[in-house]
Amino acid sequence: MNVLVINAGSSSLKYQLMCPDTGDVSAKGLCERIGIDGRLTHKVPGRENVVSDIPMPTHAEAIQAVLNILVDPVSGVIKSTDEIDAVGHRVLHGGMAFTESCLIDDACIAAIEKCIPLGPLHNPANLMGIRACQAVMPNKPQVAVFDTAFHMTMPPKAYIYAIPYEYYEKDDVRRYGFHGTSHRYVSARALKMLGRENNPEGTKIICCHLGNGSSLSAVKDGKVVDTTMGLGPLAGVPMGTRCGDIDATILEYLMGRYGYDIKEMLNILNKKSGVLGISGVSSDFRDLEAAAEQGNARAQLALDKFMYEVKKDIGAYAAAMGGVDAIVFTAGVGENGPELREEVVSGLEYMGVKIDHEKNQTRGKEVDVAADDSKVRIFVIPTNEELMIAQDTAALAR
């Protein structure tokens, strides 16, 4: 079975053609500068990348460009689009309407539209990708996979905010959490590594999705009981350019002092904050590490702040679950940052957490880096959100 996985942004569209049963990726790529001039980068394992400038006024032209290159006699990997069995779409915000993935129909699209106020930057783009695929491939089953769905098992005490309850009742204001597809994948892999994939009851796993966007989740009995992101993806630990948790009084203070409106303030918190804001150097952790090694104090402070907040949340989630069996590091920074992983877990020996320095010298591989006598396992697990989307799509399409 071939599933085309689509992740549509406002001016970009990522794609993968993959087999959900094996995880094999036939081709993947990126359409960018949609609405400007259009560029397609197409990658097939074992071949040179193909980069083409193609007019893409809308997402419909981008989808058509993807289909064209997939069946291209030279660059393609299939003979006909008939070989694509279904399409899976990443959708950021499912609100309270979606607790799992679903086949896309008119009712599903209407519900995603209702969630636009909750995900104003992402949901409209996700809908563009869906509608473009419907226009170009009207007879293919299409599935929506939601970033928020895996976190919908949180109990009320974890997801409610301490503001007037009417805003929850009338406006659905609550903690939702994001990166859910990644947390679902790595927590399932962690259960397998623990030998508990068929018996998750009693297990306690803390997943650390650390990258340009970062979030942690507490997974008890195979279900999320808490997560760091909130109504939107701005909350939690500091990120590449996002501030993470801050005192809301800061907004009032800065807006009053500098005359910012709310749009300008949110742009600062989303695009100019995080480790970039602290360091003044970069949002890329590799750049920060290089600058810190050269004596840049603010770059080191940004790294210290990030690792400190991750460590705090690990401790908080261990307390919330009454212990922890495994800590999982995933995503770009989590998978490829041995020094960061070691620093994050240092000081957690009182919880039975002990890392093996030599085992930890690994990047991008699924491995247990805990010391043999550690009471808590420390897993590095490369995430695979696309595989989760493909598997959900295949299950529903079948």
Side-chain angles (χ1 to χ4, degrees):
M1 186 175 193
N2 285 320
V3 172
L4 180 61
V5 176
I6 299 293
N7 183 355
S10 58
S11 61
S12 66
L13 185 146
K14 297 177 183 177
Y15 66 91
Q16 286 196 17
L17 184 66
M18 65 191 310
C19 174
D21 300 318
T22 63
D24 292 339
V25 177
S26 302
K28 63 180 179 180
L30 169 68
C31 297
E32 52 190 335
R33 299 177 65 81
I34 298 173
I36 304 174
D37 47 14
R39 175 169 295 167
L40 171 67
T41 301
H42 180 70
K43 302 178 181 179
V44 175
R47 302 187 199 168
E48 288 189 15
N49 295 348
V50 177
V51 180
S52 305
D53 292 327
I54 302 171
M56 299 177 188
T58 71
H59 285 69
E61 288 82 10
I63 290 292
Q64 188 61 62
V66 170
L67 296 180
N68 289 345
I69 200 163
L70 287 174
V71 301
D72 183 85
V74 177
S75 304
V77 292
I78 53 178
K79 293 180 180 179
S80 164
T81 55
D82 291 339
E83 295 180 42
I84 299 173
D85 299 291
V87 184
H89 297 266
R90 175 180 179 259
V91 179
L92 178 89
H93 217 304
M96 294 172 63
F98 298 99
T99 59
E100 58 187 7
S101 304
C102 74
L103 279 166
I104 295 172
D105 55 17
D106 291 344
C108 173
I109 288 177
I112 294 172
E113 287 176 333
K114 285 186 68 175
C115 294
I116 287 176
L118 297 172
L121 299 178
H122 297 83
N123 275 37
N126 301 152
L127 283 166
M128 287 183 212
I130 289 170
R131 290 188 171 115
C133 285
Q134 287 180 324
V136 178
M137 296 179 282
N139 299 318
K140 299 293 182 184
Q142 314 232 8
V143 170
V145 180
F146 300 90
D147 260 18
T148 51
F150 186 55
H151 300 302
M152 294 303 287
T153 54
M154 283 187 288
K157 64 183 179 183
Y159 69 65
I160 203 71
Y161 286 118
I163 58 176
Y165 195 74
E166 64 192 79
Y167 297 122
Y168 168 68
E169 291 183 302
K170 296 179 180 179
D171 304 299
D172 296 341
V173 175
R174 50 158 283 173
R175 182 183 303 279
Y176 288 97
F178 299 90
H179 299 133
T181 311
S182 174
H183 287 287
R184 178 157 67 105
Y185 176 81
V186 299
S187 62
R189 293 299 306 166
L191 285 171
K192 185 173 181 64
M193 293 173 76
L194 289 169
R196 300 291 297 275
E197 67 268 33
N198 297 319
N199 181 28
E201 298 300 317
T203 58
K204 301 163 185 176
I205 298 169
I206 298 172
C207 299
C208 306
H209 178 107
L210 308 180
N212 193 263
S214 297
S215 65
L216 283 76
S217 65
V219 183
K220 188 175 184 180
D221 305 327
K223 298 178 181 179
V224 173
V225 295
D226 207 343
T227 190
T228 54
M229 284 182 167
L231 176 73
L234 190 60
V237 299
M239 300 168 229
T241 62
R242 297 178 192 148
C243 62
D245 289 339
I246 61 169
D247 181 351
T249 308
I250 294 171
L251 279 70
E252 178 189 30
Y253 175 75
L254 293 178
M255 291 170 75
R257 186 171 179 86
Y258 295 104
Y260 300 141
D261 61 20
I262 189 62
K263 186 176 180 180
E264 290 172 308
M265 191 71 249
L266 287 175
N267 184 58
I268 291 169
L269 299 181
N270 274 293
K271 303 286 183 64
K272 300 179 180 180
S273 300
V275 295
L276 170 64
I278 295 174
S279 69
V281 172
S282 176
S283 61
D284 190 306
F285 283 76
R286 292 166 296 188
D287 295 338
L288 295 181
E289 289 170 354
E293 287 175 2
Q294 294 174 6
N296 188 310
R298 282 175 54 186
Q300 186 61 58
L301 177 61
L303 291 169
D304 290 345
K305 173 66 174 175
F306 176 77
M307 294 183 290
Y308 174 69
E309 295 296 337
V310 173
K311 188 196 301 277
K312 274 205 311 185
D313 284 330
I314 290 173
Y317 285 167
M321 294 190 292
V324 58
D325 298 311
I327 299 169
V328 180
F329 289 95
T330 192
V333 176
E335 295 168 23
N336 298 289
E339 295 84 5
L340 182 142
R341 292 192 297 262
E342 194 156 342
E343 180 61 32
V344 165
V345 301
S346 69
L348 299 181
E349 290 81 7
Y350 72 97
M351 289 168 43
V353 180
K354 188 176 180 182
I355 198 166
D356 185 301
H357 177 76
E358 295 303 322
K359 290 180 183 177
N360 186 47
Q361 303 309 305
T362 184
R363 298 175 187 271
K365 295 181 180 179
E366 186 173 285
V367 63
D368 182 355
V369 299
D372 292 340
D373 59 346
S374 177
K375 295 179 180 178
V376 177
R377 307 325 299 165
I378 306 169
F379 297 143
V380 178
I381 302 177
T383 192
N384 196 336
E385 297 170 86
E386 291 79 13
L387 179 59
M388 285 279 90
I389 294 171
Q391 289 179 341
D392 280 9
T393 300
L396 288 165
R398 282 169 175 154

